[in-house]
Amino acid sequence: MAQKCEMKLLGTAGSPFVTRVQFSLKLKSIPYEYIEEDLYNRSELLLTSNPVFRRIPVLIPANEPPVIESLSIMEYLDELQPDVHRLLPSNPSERAQYRVLAYTFDTLYSPWIKEFMRTRDEKRREELKTLLIGASVMLEEALVKFSKGKPFFGGDDIGYLDIVVGTFLGWFKFCGVVFNFNVIDEDRTPRMVEWGKRMWSNEVFQSVIPSHEIHRKFLDMLIDILPPLPQQPAVSA
Ligand SMILES: N[C@@H](CCC(=O)N[C@@H](CS)C(=O)NCC(=O)O)C(=O)O
């Protein structure tokens, strides 16, 4: 049934939240139509399907209301197509723990990464480095705990947390190249580095992860559309 569903995905190239959904759809072999959204000039379809947040990604299944927010879209897809590449564990306690880590990643870590790349305040950038290093150590501990000695957070194969964290690997790499700062590194987080290599070698991951150039364009666009950061020094006249 689910395979015949015609889904539309509204997204913008370079967004890790959109990449999460594309990755999940591909792992589950669910066909979809991708519609590139211009965040400078948001389409009527985006404004009507996500009127409160007005942001991407939005998944629009045929004959059903739109589903918003990448984490809830991933859960929706897992319930819709439970027999193909299960993302969340079947154990309710583990599922709850996965959700907490994903929520923490999205509400703390990912805003720090975004701010790190946008800020021009060097002092703040140093503070953010410290926060991100702490976060990467927590991710290393979580990887040890959830993988139980297996290659991925999800065990033998890529699961929900691998997708949630993994779709930020492109941004981690971007930080390394542009800011000479490695969010994960051999000394502090050796297991995360090994895990990252396994993710990069996955063909489905390679097919969805944006290039360096797309990340750069996306970051320029975010700098244009988001309100200025409070710590940013005022531009002198
Ligand atoms: N929590 C959301 C975050 C989505 C998000 O931040 N989308 C950004 C692009 S990466 C966006 O649409 N930003 C436009 C805006 O905030 O106005 C999710 O997981 O889907």
Side-chain angles (χ1 to χ4, degrees), residues 97-112:
Q97 294 175 58
Y98 270 44
R99 288 184 181 118
V100 170
L101 186 67
Y103 178 79
T104 311
F105 186 85
D106 276 12
T107 51
L108 279 179
Y109 308 168
S110 85
W112 288 337

Side-chain angles (χ1 to χ4, degrees), residues 2 7 20-26 28 30 59 67 70-85 87:
M7 306 240 179
R20 278 179 189 171
V21 179
Q22 292 173 305
F23 199 8
S24 308
L25 283 160
K26 284 207 167 184
K28 286 186 168 289
I30 298 175
L59 186 76
V67 189
S70 61
L71 298 180
S72 75
I73 298 174
M74 288 170 67
E75 294 212 22
Y76 167 80
L77 293 173
D78 216 24
E79 288 184 27
L80 189 75
Q81 187 80 289
D83 301 332
V84 182
H85 204 114
L87 301 178

Side-chain angles (χ1 to χ4, degrees), residues 6 26 51 90 99 107 120 133 165 177 193 195 202 210 213 237:
E6 280 176 27
K26 284 207 167 184
S90 51
R99 288 184 181 118
T107 51
R120 300 202 181 101
I133 287 170
V165 183
V177 174
V193 170
W195 165 83
N202 178 278
E213 253 338 286

Side-chain angles (χ1 to χ4, degrees), residues 166-185:
T167 43
F168 274 80
L169 281 169
W171 284 109
F172 290 177
K173 195 170 174 183
F174 188 88
C175 285
V177 174
V178 176
F179 302 103
N180 198 23
F181 168 60
N182 292 317
V183 179
I184 55 176
D185 83 351

Side-chain angles (χ1 to χ4, degrees), residues 94-173:
E94 281 186 13
R95 266 208 308 279
Q97 294 175 58
Y98 270 44
R99 288 184 181 118
V100 170
L101 186 67
Y103 178 79
T104 311
F105 186 85
D106 276 12
T107 51
L108 279 179
Y109 308 168
S110 85
W112 288 337
I113 297 166
K114 211 194 266 178
E115 188 183 345
F116 177 81
M117 290 184 299
R118 290 177 62 213
T119 189
R120 300 202 181 101
D121 178 343
E122 282 308 320
K123 186 166 165 277
R124 179 65 182 151
R125 195 170 271 152
E126 288 307 311
E127 285 168 6
L128 288 162
K129 272 188 193 172
T130 308
L131 291 170
L132 285 167
I133 287 170
S136 69
V137 171
M138 280 190 268
L139 284 175
E140 176 93 353
E141 285 164 9
L143 177 61
V144 172
K145 174 176 160 188
F146 291 119
S147 66
K148 302 181 188 119
K150 295 189 168 164
F152 297 103
F153 282 92
D156 288 316
D157 209 344
I158 290 173
Y160 176 80
L161 286 177
D162 297 287
I163 299 174
V164 169
V165 183
T167 43
F168 274 80
L169 281 169
W171 284 109
F172 290 177
K173 195 170 174 183

Side-chain angles (χ1 to χ4, degrees), residues 15-17 20 39 42 54-57 69-71 106 114 218 222 225-226:
S15 161
F17 302 104
R20 278 179 189 171
L39 289 178
R42 296 172 205 215
R54 302 153 51 102
R55 61 191 184 197
I56 44 94
E69 293 292 306
S70 61
L71 298 180
D106 276 12
K114 211 194 266 178
F218 184 75
L222 279 188
I225 65 165
L226 295 179

